[in-house]
Amino acid sequence: MSSLAETSPLAVARTVQALRETVQGWRKAGERVGFVPTMGALHEGHLSLVRLAREQADRVVASVFVNPKQFAPTEDLDRYPRQEAEDARLLASAGCDLLFAPGPEAIYPPGFSTAITVAGVSDDLEGAFRPQMFGGVATVVAKLLIQAAPDVAVFGEKDYQQLLVIKRLVADLDLPVRIVPGPTVREDDGLALSSRNAYLTPEQRMIAGRLNLALADAARRARKGEPVAVIEKDTVAEIGEAGFDSVDYVAIRDAEDLAPFVGAVNGPARVLAAARIGATRLIDNLPI
Ligand code: PAF
Protein backbone atom coordinates (compact mmCIF):
# COMPACT_ATOMS: atom_id res chain seq x y z
CA MET A 1 0.00 0.00 0.00
CA SER A 2 1.33 3.48 -0.82
CA SER A 3 0.46 6.95 0.32
CA LEU A 4 0.16 10.07 -1.86
CA ALA A 5 2.13 11.85 0.84
CA GLU A 6 2.81 15.08 -1.04
CA THR A 7 -0.73 15.61 -2.25
CA SER A 8 -2.98 14.01 0.35
CA PRO A 9 -2.90 11.98 3.54
CA LEU A 10 -5.01 9.27 1.92
CA ALA A 11 -3.70 5.70 1.80
CA VAL A 12 -3.95 4.02 -1.61
CA ALA A 13 -4.37 0.29 -2.22
CA ARG A 14 -3.34 -0.86 -5.70
CA THR A 15 -4.01 -4.56 -5.25
CA VAL A 16 -6.92 -6.65 -4.04
CA GLN A 17 -4.66 -8.11 -1.37
CA ALA A 18 -3.77 -4.66 0.02
CA LEU A 19 -7.46 -3.69 0.00
CA ARG A 20 -8.47 -6.86 1.83
CA GLU A 21 -5.74 -6.56 4.46
CA THR A 22 -6.88 -3.06 5.39
CA VAL A 23 -10.58 -3.91 5.42
CA GLN A 24 -9.98 -7.07 7.46
CA GLY A 25 -7.99 -5.03 10.01
CA TRP A 26 -10.95 -2.69 10.43
CA ARG A 27 -13.36 -5.58 10.78
CA LYS A 28 -11.22 -7.21 13.46
CA ALA A 29 -11.44 -3.91 15.37
CA GLY A 30 -15.25 -4.17 15.13
CA GLU A 31 -15.61 -1.32 12.60
CA ARG A 32 -18.30 -1.14 9.93
CA VAL A 33 -17.14 -0.50 6.38
CA GLY A 34 -18.76 1.70 3.73
CA PHE A 35 -17.83 1.63 0.04
CA VAL A 36 -18.24 4.12 -2.80
CA PRO A 37 -17.23 2.83 -6.25
CA THR A 38 -16.36 5.52 -8.81
CA MET A 39 -14.58 6.02 -12.11
CA GLY A 40 -12.76 9.09 -10.76
CA ALA A 41 -12.88 12.68 -12.06
CA LEU A 42 -14.64 13.28 -8.77
CA HIS A 43 -17.05 16.13 -8.12
CA GLU A 44 -19.37 17.17 -5.32
CA GLY A 45 -21.84 14.44 -6.32
CA HIS A 46 -19.29 11.72 -5.55
CA LEU A 47 -18.19 13.46 -2.36
CA SER A 48 -21.80 13.54 -1.14
CA LEU A 49 -21.83 9.73 -1.57
CA VAL A 50 -18.64 9.46 0.49
CA ARG A 51 -20.20 11.59 3.25
CA LEU A 52 -23.33 9.43 3.15
CA ALA A 53 -21.17 6.29 3.47
CA ARG A 54 -19.37 7.93 6.38
CA GLU A 55 -22.71 8.43 8.17
CA GLN A 56 -23.48 4.72 7.81
CA ALA A 57 -20.06 3.24 8.60
CA ASP A 58 -16.93 3.75 10.70
CA ARG A 59 -14.60 3.47 7.72
CA VAL A 60 -15.02 4.40 4.05
CA VAL A 61 -13.27 2.96 1.02
CA ALA A 62 -13.70 4.61 -2.39
CA SER A 63 -12.53 2.97 -5.60
CA VAL A 64 -11.36 4.78 -8.71
CA PHE A 65 -11.31 2.50 -11.73
CA VAL A 66 -12.23 3.52 -15.26
CA ASN A 67 -13.84 0.24 -16.22
CA PRO A 68 -13.10 -0.58 -19.88
CA LYS A 69 -15.82 -3.24 -19.99
CA GLN A 70 -18.62 -0.69 -19.68
CA PHE A 71 -17.49 1.42 -22.67
CA ALA A 72 -18.31 0.51 -26.27
CA PRO A 73 -15.40 0.89 -28.73
CA THR A 74 -17.01 4.10 -30.06
CA GLU A 75 -17.36 5.67 -26.60
CA ASP A 76 -15.14 7.98 -24.54
CA LEU A 77 -12.89 5.49 -22.65
CA ASP A 78 -9.69 7.15 -23.90
CA ARG A 79 -10.73 10.71 -23.19
CA TYR A 80 -12.56 9.94 -19.91
CA PRO A 81 -10.99 12.41 -17.43
CA ARG A 82 -8.29 10.93 -15.15
CA GLN A 83 -6.94 12.92 -12.17
CA GLU A 84 -5.94 10.53 -9.41
CA ALA A 85 -3.95 12.92 -7.19
CA GLU A 86 -6.81 15.45 -7.17
CA ASP A 87 -9.35 12.65 -6.58
CA ALA A 88 -7.32 11.42 -3.58
CA ARG A 89 -7.20 14.92 -2.12
CA LEU A 90 -10.97 15.35 -2.53
CA LEU A 91 -11.70 11.93 -1.04
CA ALA A 92 -9.55 12.66 2.00
CA SER A 93 -11.38 15.98 2.50
CA ALA A 94 -14.73 14.15 2.42
CA GLY A 95 -13.70 11.67 5.12
CA CYS A 96 -12.61 8.69 3.02
CA ASP A 97 -10.09 6.38 4.71
CA LEU A 98 -8.76 4.40 1.76
CA LEU A 99 -8.59 4.82 -2.01
CA PHE A 100 -8.64 1.55 -3.95
CA ALA A 101 -7.07 2.43 -7.31
CA PRO A 102 -6.24 -0.83 -9.08
CA GLY A 103 -4.65 -1.05 -12.50
CA PRO A 104 -6.64 -2.88 -15.21
CA GLU A 105 -4.64 -6.08 -14.65
CA ALA A 106 -5.66 -6.20 -10.97
CA ILE A 107 -9.32 -6.29 -12.01
CA TYR A 108 -9.07 -8.15 -15.31
CA PRO A 109 -5.96 -10.36 -15.18
CA PRO A 110 -4.97 -12.27 -18.31
CA GLY A 111 -7.49 -15.03 -18.97
CA PHE A 112 -10.37 -13.21 -17.28
CA SER A 113 -13.49 -14.80 -18.80
CA THR A 114 -16.49 -14.08 -16.59
CA ALA A 115 -19.34 -11.76 -17.54
CA ILE A 116 -22.39 -10.99 -15.42
CA THR A 117 -25.70 -10.14 -17.03
CA VAL A 118 -28.63 -8.74 -15.11
CA ALA A 119 -31.56 -9.38 -17.42
CA GLY A 120 -34.80 -7.40 -17.38
CA VAL A 121 -33.98 -4.13 -15.67
CA SER A 122 -30.84 -3.76 -17.85
CA ASP A 123 -32.55 -4.31 -21.17
CA ASP A 124 -34.29 -1.04 -21.95
CA LEU A 125 -33.44 2.71 -21.87
CA GLU A 126 -29.67 2.99 -21.25
CA GLY A 127 -29.34 -0.72 -22.03
CA ALA A 128 -30.90 -0.18 -25.47
CA PHE A 129 -28.62 2.73 -26.35
CA ARG A 130 -25.47 1.42 -24.63
CA PRO A 131 -25.75 -2.38 -24.91
CA GLN A 132 -22.23 -2.83 -23.52
CA MET A 133 -22.75 -0.86 -20.39
CA PHE A 134 -24.75 -2.78 -17.79
CA GLY A 135 -22.93 -6.07 -18.36
CA GLY A 136 -19.65 -4.21 -17.76
CA VAL A 137 -21.07 -2.41 -14.72
CA ALA A 138 -22.53 -5.60 -13.20
CA THR A 139 -19.28 -7.51 -13.72
CA VAL A 140 -17.03 -4.85 -12.18
CA VAL A 141 -19.40 -3.98 -9.33
CA ALA A 142 -19.78 -7.66 -8.39
CA LYS A 143 -15.99 -7.94 -8.31
CA LEU A 144 -15.53 -4.73 -6.33
CA LEU A 145 -18.18 -5.71 -3.77
CA ILE A 146 -16.58 -9.14 -3.31
CA GLN A 147 -13.11 -7.58 -3.05
CA ALA A 148 -14.00 -4.78 -0.62
CA ALA A 149 -16.62 -6.80 1.31
CA PRO A 150 -18.30 -3.66 2.71
CA ASP A 151 -21.32 -3.53 5.01
CA VAL A 152 -22.89 -0.76 2.92
CA ALA A 153 -22.22 0.55 -0.58
CA VAL A 154 -23.52 3.88 -1.84
CA PHE A 155 -24.59 4.48 -5.46
CA GLY A 156 -25.94 7.75 -6.87
CA GLU A 157 -29.54 8.13 -8.01
CA LYS A 158 -28.16 10.16 -10.92
CA ASP A 159 -27.59 6.77 -12.61
CA TYR A 160 -31.00 5.51 -11.58
CA GLN A 161 -31.18 2.49 -13.86
CA GLN A 162 -27.67 1.48 -12.79
CA LEU A 163 -28.82 1.67 -9.15
CA LEU A 164 -31.70 -0.73 -9.91
CA VAL A 165 -29.36 -3.08 -11.82
CA ILE A 166 -27.01 -3.18 -8.82
CA LYS A 167 -29.83 -3.78 -6.34
CA ARG A 168 -30.99 -6.72 -8.49
CA LEU A 169 -27.42 -8.05 -8.79
CA VAL A 170 -26.87 -7.92 -5.03
CA ALA A 171 -30.21 -9.60 -4.31
CA ASP A 172 -29.69 -12.31 -6.94
CA LEU A 173 -26.13 -13.17 -5.85
CA ASP A 174 -26.88 -12.91 -2.10
CA LEU A 175 -24.05 -10.43 -1.68
CA PRO A 176 -24.01 -9.45 2.01
CA VAL A 177 -24.08 -5.69 1.49
CA ARG A 178 -26.76 -3.04 1.90
CA ILE A 179 -27.13 -0.76 -1.12
CA VAL A 180 -27.82 2.85 -0.16
CA PRO A 181 -29.01 5.35 -2.81
CA GLY A 182 -27.43 8.83 -2.78
CA PRO A 183 -29.50 11.83 -3.96
CA THR A 184 -28.38 13.63 -7.14
CA VAL A 185 -26.38 16.82 -6.57
CA ARG A 186 -27.20 19.65 -9.00
CA GLU A 187 -25.81 22.95 -10.21
CA ASP A 188 -27.92 26.07 -9.53
CA ASP A 189 -29.73 25.71 -12.87
CA GLY A 190 -30.62 22.07 -12.15
CA LEU A 191 -27.90 20.37 -14.21
CA ALA A 192 -27.00 17.09 -12.50
CA LEU A 193 -23.30 16.94 -11.63
CA SER A 194 -21.46 14.51 -13.90
CA SER A 195 -17.83 13.95 -14.81
CA ARG A 196 -18.92 14.27 -18.45
CA ASN A 197 -20.11 17.88 -17.89
CA ALA A 198 -16.42 18.77 -18.30
CA TYR A 199 -16.81 18.08 -22.03
CA LEU A 200 -19.41 20.87 -22.49
CA THR A 201 -18.50 24.17 -24.16
CA PRO A 202 -19.84 27.31 -22.40
CA GLU A 203 -22.71 27.49 -24.96
CA GLN A 204 -23.57 23.81 -24.47
CA ARG A 205 -23.40 24.27 -20.71
CA MET A 206 -26.14 26.96 -20.93
CA ILE A 207 -28.39 24.51 -22.77
CA ALA A 208 -27.59 21.51 -20.54
CA GLY A 209 -29.54 22.79 -17.51
CA ARG A 210 -32.75 22.73 -19.55
CA LEU A 211 -32.82 18.93 -19.45
CA ASN A 212 -33.70 18.97 -15.77
CA LEU A 213 -36.33 21.69 -16.27
CA ALA A 214 -38.01 19.59 -18.97
CA LEU A 215 -38.04 16.57 -16.64
CA ALA A 216 -39.49 18.68 -13.82
CA ASP A 217 -42.33 19.74 -16.19
CA ALA A 218 -42.90 16.10 -17.13
CA ALA A 219 -43.00 15.01 -13.48
CA ARG A 220 -45.53 17.75 -12.66
CA ARG A 221 -47.80 16.70 -15.52
CA ALA A 222 -47.53 13.02 -14.60
CA ARG A 223 -48.58 13.83 -11.02
CA LYS A 224 -51.67 15.57 -12.44
CA GLY A 225 -52.61 12.33 -14.20
CA GLU A 226 -51.92 13.27 -17.84
CA PRO A 227 -51.29 10.30 -20.18
CA VAL A 228 -47.68 9.15 -20.03
CA ALA A 229 -47.29 8.78 -23.81
CA VAL A 230 -48.32 12.41 -24.41
CA ILE A 231 -45.99 13.74 -21.71
CA GLU A 232 -43.05 11.72 -23.09
CA LYS A 233 -43.63 13.01 -26.65
CA ASP A 234 -43.95 16.64 -25.50
CA THR A 235 -40.85 16.36 -23.33
CA VAL A 236 -38.75 15.05 -26.25
CA ALA A 237 -39.88 18.13 -28.22
CA GLU A 238 -39.15 20.47 -25.28
CA ILE A 239 -35.59 19.13 -24.91
CA GLY A 240 -35.02 19.51 -28.67
CA GLU A 241 -36.34 23.08 -28.59
CA ALA A 242 -34.00 23.85 -25.67
CA GLY A 243 -31.06 23.25 -28.03
CA PHE A 244 -30.11 19.59 -27.56
CA ASP A 245 -29.05 17.95 -30.83
CA SER A 246 -30.94 14.71 -30.23
CA VAL A 247 -32.92 12.89 -27.57
CA ASP A 248 -32.28 9.18 -27.04
CA TYR A 249 -35.34 8.71 -24.81
CA VAL A 250 -37.72 10.26 -22.36
CA ALA A 251 -39.50 7.59 -20.34
CA ILE A 252 -41.87 7.61 -17.39
CA ARG A 253 -41.51 4.27 -15.65
CA ASP A 254 -42.28 2.33 -12.49
CA ALA A 255 -39.73 3.41 -9.88
CA GLU A 256 -38.97 -0.15 -8.74
CA ASP A 257 -38.61 -2.15 -11.95
CA LEU A 258 -38.84 0.43 -14.77
CA ALA A 259 -41.97 -1.23 -16.18
CA PRO A 260 -43.89 1.12 -18.53
CA PHE A 261 -47.32 2.52 -17.64
CA VAL A 262 -50.40 2.18 -19.79
CA GLY A 263 -52.32 5.48 -19.66
CA ALA A 264 -51.45 7.56 -16.60
CA VAL A 265 -48.99 6.93 -13.79
CA ASN A 266 -50.61 4.80 -11.07
CA GLY A 267 -47.84 4.25 -8.52
CA PRO A 268 -44.31 5.33 -7.55
CA ALA A 269 -42.63 6.44 -10.78
CA ARG A 270 -39.55 8.06 -12.22
CA VAL A 271 -39.04 10.14 -15.34
CA LEU A 272 -35.73 9.34 -17.05
CA ALA A 273 -34.05 10.87 -20.09
CA ALA A 274 -30.89 10.82 -22.16
CA ALA A 275 -30.03 13.53 -24.69
CA ARG A 276 -27.02 14.63 -26.67
CA ILE A 277 -25.37 18.02 -27.17
CA GLY A 278 -22.57 17.76 -29.70
CA ALA A 279 -20.48 14.73 -28.74
CA THR A 280 -21.68 14.75 -25.12
CA ARG A 281 -24.47 12.53 -23.89
CA LEU A 282 -26.25 13.59 -20.69
CA ILE A 283 -28.65 11.55 -18.58
CA ASP A 284 -30.94 12.65 -15.79
CA ASN A 285 -34.03 11.50 -13.88
CA LEU A 286 -36.50 12.73 -11.28
CA PRO A 287 -38.99 11.07 -8.93
CA ILE A 288 -42.68 11.49 -9.67
O1 PAF B 1 -21.26 4.93 -11.81
C1 PAF B 1 -20.05 4.71 -12.04
O2 PAF B 1 -19.18 5.57 -11.86
C2 PAF B 1 -19.65 3.35 -12.59
O3 PAF B 1 -20.61 2.84 -13.44
C3 PAF B 1 -19.30 2.34 -11.49
C4 PAF B 1 -20.50 2.03 -10.60
C5 PAF B 1 -18.17 2.88 -10.61
C6 PAF B 1 -18.83 1.02 -12.11
O4 PAF B 1 -17.71 1.21 -12.92
Side-chain angles (χ1 to χ4, degrees):
M1 195 152 65
S2 64
S3 168
L4 293 174
E6 301 93 69
T7 47
S8 91
L10 189 61
V12 182
R14 302 271 173 209
T15 63
V16 177
Q17 190 190 348
L19 169 69
R20 284 195 169 136
E21 278 168 14
T22 303
V23 171
Q24 280 162 9
W26 293 335
R27 286 199 176 289
K28 273 195 192 128
E31 292 179 314
R32 285 173 56 76
V33 179
F35 181 48
V36 181
T38 82
M39 296 205 300
L42 302 182
H43 49 64
E44 186 49 38
H46 297 108
L47 302 185
S48 72
L49 305 181
V50 172
R51 289 187 205 106
L52 190 53
R54 180 95 251 170
E55 284 168 21
Q56 316 258 337
D58 304 299
R59 297 286 189 167
V60 177
V61 182
S63 61
V64 170
F65 179 66
V66 183
N67 174 32
K69 286 201 187 292
Q70 69 190 76
F71 290 78
T74 50
E75 291 181 338
D76 55 345
L77 174 63
D78 290 339
R79 68 173 185 140
Y80 200 84
R82 288 164 173 87
Q83 46 166 60
E84 186 184 296
E86 175 65 0
D87 287 346
R89 194 186 64 72
L90 291 170
L91 288 169
S93 74
C96 179
D97 297 286
L98 178 69
L99 167 59
F100 179 44
E105 67 297 335
I107 299 290
Y108 302 121
F112 184 87
S113 311
T114 298
I116 297 184
T117 303
V118 180
V121 72
S122 289
D123 296 344
D124 203 4
L125 308 178
E126 286 302 290
F129 285 89
R130 302 183 64 198
Q132 182 110 2
M133 190 178 72
F134 287 128
V137 168
T139 302
V140 82
V141 169
K143 285 202 66 147
L144 291 168
L145 291 176
I146 291 166
Q147 291 165 346
D151 298 284
V152 295
V154 184
F155 290 84
E157 287 182 338
K158 155 81 174 27
D159 297 295
Y160 191 78
Q161 191 177 6
Q162 170 176 281
L163 174 66
L164 296 186
V165 168
I166 288 161
K167 282 184 173 174
R168 186 75 259 163
L169 167 85
V170 164
D172 288 357
L173 297 185
D174 300 315
L175 297 177
V177 58
R178 188 161 57 85
I179 301 301
V180 175
T184 303
V185 179
R186 299 181 181 280
E187 303 276 11
D188 288 347
D189 66 350
L191 177 66
L193 297 196
S194 162
S195 306
R196 290 188 167 102
N197 293 352
Y199 300 151
L200 299 170
T201 64
E203 296 73 37
Q204 291 171 337
R205 171 64 192 82
M206 300 277 288
I207 295 166
R210 304 278 299 275
L211 179 61
N212 178 250
L213 294 180
L215 294 190
D217 283 346
R220 210 172 304 119
R221 292 176 62 185
R223 273 183 221 114
K224 283 202 276 179
E226 290 188 40
V228 160
V230 176
I231 304 171
E232 288 173 346
K233 189 163 161 283
D234 292 351
T235 308
V236 169
E238 188 178 337
I239 295 168
E241 281 155 23
F244 279 79
D245 293 308
S246 62
V247 180
D248 284 353
Y249 61 84
V250 171
I252 294 173
R253 297 292 179 87
D254 183 287
E256 293 300 317
D257 61 7
L258 298 182
F261 292 100
V262 177
V265 161
N266 61 6
R270 205 94 192 171
V271 55
L272 309 100
R276 294 171 196 262
I277 320 182
T280 304
R281 184 173 184 277
L282 299 179
I283 61 170
D284 200 355
N285 69 87
L286 285 177
I288 293 178

